[in-house]
Amino acid sequence: MDKYVTISQLAKLFDINQHTIRHYEDKELLQPALIDKNGYRKYDVSKAYDLAFILLFKQLDLSLKEIKEMKKLNEPKESIHFFEEKLIDIDQKISDLQQVKENISHQLTLLNQDFTETSLEIKNPIYLKKLIELKHEEEITLQDILKFSDAIHFFSNTICYKIKEATYDVFYLVDEKSLDSIPSGNYKIKWLFADNEKELNCQLEKVSESTYDDFYVLEEIRHLVTSHQKLAWKVMIRND
């Protein structure tokens, strides 16, 4: 039985294109075991392992130049260090993807929001992280946001405002326990809808004028969801 396979058979074995194998040959990463008298490339088990090695490191996002350097490593310690570094990189990517997943879940929650809700019972505190305190006449700007150590959360998390007599605090929601929170209890819900921030702020001023206690406002839909989405704020007024 012939111990060699053709380039098409090798490509089929690894579910890749023949041109990919030829490209690796051009980059001197892989060579056929032999070329027969008819000019056909032939590959054996050893060459299949070489190809598997290349494909493994391609999965690790290495460039062909880096893979070529890896093939030159002779000391186990060098390989161990390399793989340890790669594990750290992979853990970071997993963490980044988890954040992406959470952001997508959050956007789905916003899109599925029940705007008929008129009351809410909060059984456990909703924890918040404070970003800034501003006067009523002041608006939060990008310059303010740039000062935050975790500014990206402003655009990917639910933002909460605590409206007080002369000032308001800006928070974003967090999962872990923190100093600030929306306390547990019963709340009356009022929805505010608008096409722009100015219109929304006018509505909010009217709510503030008719409410003597501090209250909370959650940004439930913002421009991040879709470019044509209306703004929606969920006003939460303590009802007990």
Side-chain angles (χ1 to χ4, degrees), residues 2-239:
D2 191 352
K3 69 176 184 177
Y4 299 105
V5 298
T6 64
I7 189 170
S8 62
Q9 290 173 317
L10 185 65
K12 184 178 180 181
L13 176 65
F14 286 94
D15 194 24
I16 59 174
N17 194 291
Q18 294 182 42
H19 298 296
T20 301
I21 296 175
R22 292 296 298 269
H23 180 60
Y24 294 157
E25 290 181 8
D26 292 340
K27 295 298 181 180
E28 300 180 348
L29 284 168
L30 178 71
Q31 295 301 323
L34 62 87
I35 299 177
D36 68 15
K37 60 183 179 181
N38 296 316
Y40 291 111
R41 288 169 163 73
K42 299 284 186 164
Y43 305 84
D44 58 12
V45 172
S46 172
K47 298 304 177 181
Y49 272 114
D50 286 345
L51 180 56
F53 178 92
I54 296 166
L55 295 175
L56 167 65
F57 285 98
K58 283 296 291 177
Q59 285 184 328
L60 296 176
D61 289 334
L62 264 71
S63 67
L64 296 184
K65 182 179 178 181
E66 289 173 317
I67 293 172
K68 198 170 183 178
E69 292 299 315
M70 269 298 300
K71 291 187 73 174
K72 294 177 183 177
L73 297 180
N74 295 316
E75 291 295 327
K77 285 184 178 180
E78 293 176 314
S79 297
I80 289 170
H81 176 71
F82 172 82
F83 281 114
E84 286 176 341
E85 290 293 317
K86 273 299 164 185
L87 279 177
I88 293 172
D89 291 342
I90 291 169
D91 284 340
Q92 183 59 53
K93 287 179 180 178
I94 290 172
S95 176
D96 292 342
L97 284 172
Q98 183 61 39
Q99 183 62 52
V100 170
K101 181 181 177 182
E102 289 174 5
N103 289 342
I104 291 173
S105 296
H106 175 64
Q107 296 306 317
L108 281 172
T109 300
L110 294 183
L111 290 169
N112 288 315
Q113 180 64 256
D114 177 14
F115 294 114
T116 63
E117 184 181 30
T118 59
S119 62
L120 175 66
E121 180 185 3
I122 298 178
K123 295 182 178 179
N124 298 304
I126 299 173
Y127 293 110
L128 309 168
K129 182 166 184 181
K130 186 173 178 178
L131 295 173
I132 193 171
E133 181 178 10
L134 296 168
K135 295 178 181 178
H136 280 189
E137 62 271 18
E138 295 177 323
E139 291 185 4
I140 191 165
T141 67
L142 276 179
Q143 291 297 332
D144 294 321
I145 296 170
L146 284 172
K147 298 172 185 175
F148 307 153
S149 59
D150 42 8
I152 189 62
H153 290 293
F154 187 85
F155 299 100
S156 58
N157 287 38
T158 296
I159 299 299
C160 175
Y161 303 90
K162 183 178 182 180
I163 312 299
K164 299 179 287 188
E165 185 176 356
T167 63
Y168 66 97
D169 297 325
V170 183
F171 305 90
Y172 67 85
L173 274 61
V174 292
D175 294 325
E176 66 273 11
K177 210 170 196 178
S178 61
L179 292 175
D180 296 297
S181 68
I182 300 176
S184 56
N186 294 305
Y187 290 81
K188 180 171 65 176
I189 303 300
K190 182 178 178 63
W191 291 98
L192 305 181
F193 301 98
D195 292 314
N196 54 65
E197 297 278 355
K198 184 177 180 181
E199 183 183 332
L200 204 54
N201 284 330
C202 287
Q203 293 185 46
L204 189 59
E205 282 180 18
K206 292 179 181 179
V207 175
S208 185
E209 289 170 1
S210 62
T211 306
Y212 298 103
D213 297 324
D214 297 348
F215 61 94
Y216 297 90
V217 179
L218 297 182
E219 280 192 359
E220 293 292 12
I221 289 187
R222 290 172 288 156
H223 303 295
L224 186 62
V225 182
T226 74
S227 59
H228 305 292
Q229 186 61 264
K230 278 181 175 290
L231 298 171
W233 283 3
K234 181 179 183 178
V235 177
M236 300 172 55
I237 303 168
R238 194 71 179 260
N239 203 25

